[in-house]
Amino acid sequence: MNNISLENKEIIQVVFFILLAFITMFLVLILFFYFSRKKVVLIEIEKKNLELKHQKELLHSVLITQEEERKRIAQDLHDDISSKLNVVSLNSHLLQTPNLNEDEQNNITNNIIELTQKALEESRRIAHDLLPPVLEKFGLHAGIEELVAEYNSTRSVKVSYENHIDFENYPVERHLHIFRILQELLNNSIRHGKATEISIHFTTFGQRKNFTYIDNGLGFDSSNNENSKGLGMKNIESRINFLGGDFNFYSRPNEGVKMEFNFD
């Protein structure tokens, strides 16, 4: 009888230790999954914070670009147009001077006409920089053709342009973003890269549109983050984000620049 009781106690102890082991393992698994999940959540939060920081940087670059554009326009209006109109106003008052002979009247009148014409040309230039008329009237394809022709007319750079996208069916409000991206790239290639040959190519892959830009300029090390944090690149990136696209940028010293981006 005592032997049976002893065996029962041993069985109970074994069962107890087995249950204790299972409970311990269960608690360990719970703690493991808890801390693993907590780590995953922290990584996701950090990732979201980095994305928000990046979006803030892009927004900041857009605001800076807009402010610089406003300052440039204000400067142009003051220096190129306002100053000319002031001289026109002065000459107009001179016409009221008594006893002017015919030659003096003609000289003042010609001066007024010449300054007025220059002021009109400057106002057209400023309006063209804000929104090229050909872009508004005839669409993106015609706007890029005109832009390419302007650069080729300088004879300092050869720009080739090929397009296989029907931009007539593309939302007009998005035309200006693509046009500004291209302007920024061309400006960087010529001003900083000293490029003499530039290739621009638009095509489609399924439902996505693709843009490829290549120049033979001086290039730079695009793997260096400091080189890709300029205001111009931030402005380009923010416009591509607006288009719902993504981009790849490659450059090496003395190997020019290559950029591709896809958009809806």
Side-chain angles (χ1 to χ4, degrees):
M1 199 68 178
N2 289 332
N3 290 336
I4 294 173
S5 177
L6 184 61
E7 288 178 358
N8 287 337
K9 286 182 179 180
E10 289 177 350
I11 291 171
I12 290 171
Q13 285 179 347
V14 169
V15 171
F16 173 76
F17 282 119
I18 291 173
L19 286 174
L20 183 63
F22 274 114
I23 291 171
T24 303
M25 289 177 62
F26 181 71
L27 290 174
V28 169
L29 286 172
I30 289 175
L31 289 172
F32 173 77
F33 284 114
Y34 170 77
F35 285 109
S36 296
R37 180 59 184 168
K38 185 177 179 181
K39 185 176 181 181
V40 170
V41 170
L42 289 173
I43 291 173
E44 287 295 321
I45 291 173
E46 185 178 357
K47 184 179 178 181
K48 290 293 182 183
N49 287 336
L50 287 173
E51 289 177 357
L52 287 172
K53 181 181 178 182
H54 184 61
Q55 291 296 326
K56 286 180 180 178
E57 288 177 353
L58 291 179
L59 179 59
H60 182 63
S61 70
V62 172
L63 293 175
I64 291 176
T65 302
Q66 289 176 342
E67 188 61 30
E68 290 296 324
E69 186 70 9
R70 291 191 185 100
K71 287 180 181 178
R72 185 188 64 79
I73 293 169
Q75 193 71 31
D76 285 348
L77 289 172
H78 179 270
D79 294 346
D80 295 331
I81 296 180
S82 180
S83 61
K84 288 181 177 63
L85 291 178
N86 282 332
V87 178
V88 168
S89 177
L90 290 172
N91 277 273
S92 298
H93 284 92
L94 283 176
L95 284 174
Q96 298 176 349
T97 304
N99 304 320
L100 286 176
N101 60 44
E102 187 176 348
D103 287 340
E104 290 173 333
Q105 288 180 346
N106 288 335
N107 286 335
I108 294 171
T109 302
N110 290 333
N111 196 27
I112 291 173
I113 294 172
E114 182 180 351
L115 288 169
T116 303
Q117 184 63 35
K118 287 181 179 179
L120 285 171
E121 290 173 359
E122 290 298 330
S123 65
R124 290 193 191 101
R125 180 186 62 78
I126 293 171
H128 184 277
D129 288 343
L130 290 173
L131 181 61
V134 67
L135 190 69
E136 186 177 19
K137 291 180 181 178
F138 304 107
L140 182 59
H141 178 63
I144 294 175
E145 283 187 324
E146 183 182 68
L147 183 65
V148 168
E150 288 175 358
Y151 277 96
N152 282 331
S153 67
T154 65
R155 299 185 181 278
S156 61
V157 61
K158 180 181 179 182
V159 184
S160 62
Y161 167 56
E162 187 176 352
N163 177 43
H164 299 285
I165 297 176
D166 183 9
F167 284 116
E168 289 186 8
N169 297 320
Y170 192 66
V172 176
E173 64 272 12
R174 293 171 174 251
H175 286 194
L176 187 60
H177 288 287
I178 297 173
F179 189 80
R180 293 302 188 211
I181 290 170
L182 188 53
Q183 277 185 317
E184 187 74 43
L185 289 170
L186 286 166
N187 181 59
N188 289 342
S189 290
I190 294 169
R191 179 181 296 179
H192 305 296
K194 311 300 180 185
T196 57
E197 292 184 8
I198 298 170
S199 171
I200 301 164
H201 186 260
F202 285 90
T203 188
T204 56
F205 290 102
Q207 299 299 317
R208 301 282 285 176
K209 299 172 180 63
N210 184 74
F211 167 81
T212 304
Y213 180 94
I214 301 172
D215 76 27
N216 68 341
L218 298 175
F220 58 91
D221 184 6
S222 59
S223 63
N224 186 339
N225 289 333
E226 292 301 318
N227 290 333
S228 59
K229 288 182 179 179
L231 185 60
M233 281 305 301
K234 287 292 184 182
N235 192 29
I236 289 172
E237 187 177 351
S238 66
R239 291 186 185 277
I240 292 174
N241 283 345
F242 179 85
L243 295 169
D246 52 77
F247 72 97
N248 292 307
F249 189 90
Y250 175 84
S251 182
R252 287 288 182 273
N254 301 315
E255 293 183 16
V257 163
K258 180 178 181 180
M259 180 177 183
E260 290 183 293
F261 75 83
N262 299 306
F263 55 101
D264 295 324

